[in-house]
Amino acid sequence: LNFQFLWAKDKPVAPLSQPLKLHNIGPLDVRFKVDVQYPFSVDTDEGVIAPNAVQEITVDFDPAFRAERKSCTVKQKLTIQYDEHPASNNIELIGEVVWPNL
């Protein structure tokens, strides 16, 4: 997921959000946990997805994570782990903040 904050005089520095859909294509309930580090966050840390169902979570990026207003790009991974299953999924998160620096 890519996030980009472009500074503008009339635009507040507020978190940017994007939906992420988790699909359970199996015949059993799937319990999951989500791990992500600041400046990214999620609205759901854990949950259960019924068979053949979809769970939508919201991923946020806080462009105000640095006190000094310098342009930068942050790359991290969002990890989804499943109870009673060794598999995990990693989703790359990229947050770009663009300030009018000289």
Side-chain angles (χ1 to χ4, degrees):
L1 293 175
N2 293 306
F3 299 86
Q4 184 180 56
F5 174 80
L6 298 169
W7 182 86
K9 216 177 227 188
D10 58 342
K11 187 176 183 180
V13 181
L16 305 173
S17 300
Q18 287 192 40
L20 176 65
K21 292 183 179 181
L22 307 177
H23 298 262
N24 178 5
I25 58 172
L28 302 172
D29 285 352
V30 172
R31 295 183 185 280
F32 68 92
K33 293 180 183 172
V34 180
D35 183 41
V36 66
Q37 301 298 313
Y38 186 75
F40 298 97
S41 62
V42 291
D43 65 342
T44 304
D45 291 7
E46 57 185 53
V48 178
I49 309 172
N52 301 306
V54 176
Q55 169 82 35
E56 185 173 286
I57 62 175
T58 301
V59 181
D60 294 328
F61 170 66
D62 183 4
F65 73 101
R66 294 178 118 175
E68 74 279 0
R69 294 184 169 194
K70 292 185 178 179
S71 298
C72 67
T73 300
V74 179
K75 293 182 181 181
Q76 291 187 11
K77 296 224 183 279
L78 178 146
T79 302
I80 303 166
Q81 296 178 321
Y82 306 97
D83 288 358
E84 301 178 15
H85 197 284
S88 65
N89 293 106
N90 291 305
I91 297 167
E92 185 173 38
L93 303 176
I94 301 171
E96 181 180 11
V97 180
V98 181
W99 295 99
N101 297 339
L102 297 178

